[in-house]
Amino acid sequence: MKCFCKELAGDGISLSQICFSDLWFFYDLAPDEMEALNKASTRKKYEAGETIFLQEDSADIIFLIKAGRIKLTKVTKDGSKIVLDYRKTGDTIGENLFSEETNYPVSAKCLEPTLICGLKKADFEKLILAYPRISLQIIKNMSQRISKLTNRLGSMASISLEDRLYNVLSNIAAEHGKKTLEGTAILLSLTHEEMGFLIGAHRVSITKTMKALIDSGRLLKSGKTIILPPRI
């Protein structure tokens, strides 16, 4: 299937091979539905430091990251700014397209040169009218996803804080890591407060847990870089 992003990207950006039709909520579409879905999307390039959308902006586009890396942040009621997640090539942001929310609950900022493929809500609704089966398949896929997430949440509640933090850092290393002689180094600079938000724990607890993981050899620190040694 033709990728419509290549001309815009040029030679300086390595593109993900993932298109909208490859995402989990569009699994098992027919070839003509997949082609129509990819044609309905639009593309745009961003430089490092540029904002794709701000918290409370109108949520009418879902974005697929074809190249680059994005940080998601949120300003709380007391004015504090927290980091919620990092998204990489092949991930999506702005999934509000499938909900009743009218505004983005977070802000999205590019950490490096980024190319996104966007699907506007109005174009998506036109697509559904032309291909009604797409909406039925999305409902089926989302139901299966919710079931998997529910099971995962139940298992997370029963493990220790050390294991929870280690699992989160392992996932981040898999997505934003680089292989070194000592293990996998996480390329993102994560504060203890940011890690706390990612697993729902206080910064002080993260500090103690990080020390325990380092003392046990499950994690290494090189300056500010977190490294996950290979599992034996």
Side-chain angles (χ1 to χ4, degrees):
M1 183 178 296
K2 179 182 178 181
C3 178
F4 297 92
C5 300
K6 291 181 179 178
E7 292 183 7
L8 178 61
D11 297 328
I13 296 181
S14 179
L15 286 175
S16 166
Q17 297 303 305
I18 295 175
C19 290
F20 271 114
S21 56
D22 299 313
L23 301 176
W24 66 265
F25 30 78
F26 293 125
Y27 281 170
D28 297 327
L29 295 184
D32 60 330
E33 296 168 338
M34 294 166 62
E35 188 73 25
L37 176 64
N38 290 332
K39 285 183 177 180
S41 59
T42 58
R43 294 131 204 103
K44 186 174 180 179
K45 288 176 70 173
Y46 293 86
E47 298 301 324
E50 283 195 89
T51 297
I52 297 179
F53 56 78
L54 292 171
Q55 183 176 334
E56 297 303 327
D57 279 353
S58 178
D60 59 354
I61 306 178
I62 182 173
F63 301 93
L64 167 63
I65 306 171
K66 292 291 290 184
R69 208 180 299 269
I70 292 171
K71 177 168 68 174
L72 301 181
T73 61
K74 184 179 183 66
V75 177
T76 61
K77 291 182 179 180
D78 64 2
S80 302
K81 185 177 181 180
I82 60 175
V83 176
L84 293 180
D85 201 2
Y86 296 90
R87 301 290 172 87
K88 67 180 190 317
T89 299
D91 289 340
T92 58
I93 55 175
E95 294 87 346
N96 309 64
L97 183 76
F98 301 118
S99 71
E100 294 298 319
E101 294 183 66
T102 57
N103 302 98
Y104 293 117
V106 299
S107 297
K109 185 177 182 179
C110 300
L111 297 176
E112 59 189 45
T114 298
L115 189 146
I116 59 93
C117 193
L119 181 62
K120 297 180 180 179
K121 189 169 186 176
D123 293 333
F124 177 68
E125 291 173 347
K126 291 178 183 177
L127 187 67
I128 292 298
L129 291 176
Y131 299 89
R133 181 183 169 277
I134 292 179
S135 60
L136 296 176
Q137 191 60 44
I138 290 174
I139 293 172
K140 178 181 177 180
N141 292 338
M142 293 186 77
S143 296
Q144 294 174 346
R145 184 78 165 190
I146 290 171
S147 178
K148 290 180 181 178
L149 290 175
T150 300
N151 292 337
R152 186 184 302 175
L153 181 61
S155 63
M156 283 183 63
S158 61
I159 64 176
S160 68
L161 188 59
E162 285 185 30
D163 287 337
R164 282 164 54 195
L165 180 57
Y166 181 83
N167 290 342
V168 167
L169 292 176
S170 295
N171 290 334
I172 293 175
E175 298 182 354
H176 308 279
K178 179 181 180 180
K179 295 294 184 181
T180 70
L181 293 176
E182 296 176 297
T184 304
I186 295 177
L187 300 178
L188 302 175
S189 178
L190 297 170
T191 67
H192 286 195
E193 185 175 28
E194 290 169 347
M195 285 187 271
F197 285 122
L198 292 175
I199 67 168
H202 193 275
R203 180 178 58 81
V204 175
S205 298
I206 295 298
T207 300
K208 294 179 180 179
T209 304
M210 281 292 295
K211 184 179 184 304
L213 289 171
I214 293 170
D215 289 345
S216 66
R218 297 176 72 186
L219 295 180
L220 301 175
K221 286 289 291 290
S222 177
K224 294 184 178 180
T225 302
I226 300 172
I227 302 172
L228 279 78
R231 290 188 177 183
I232 301 175

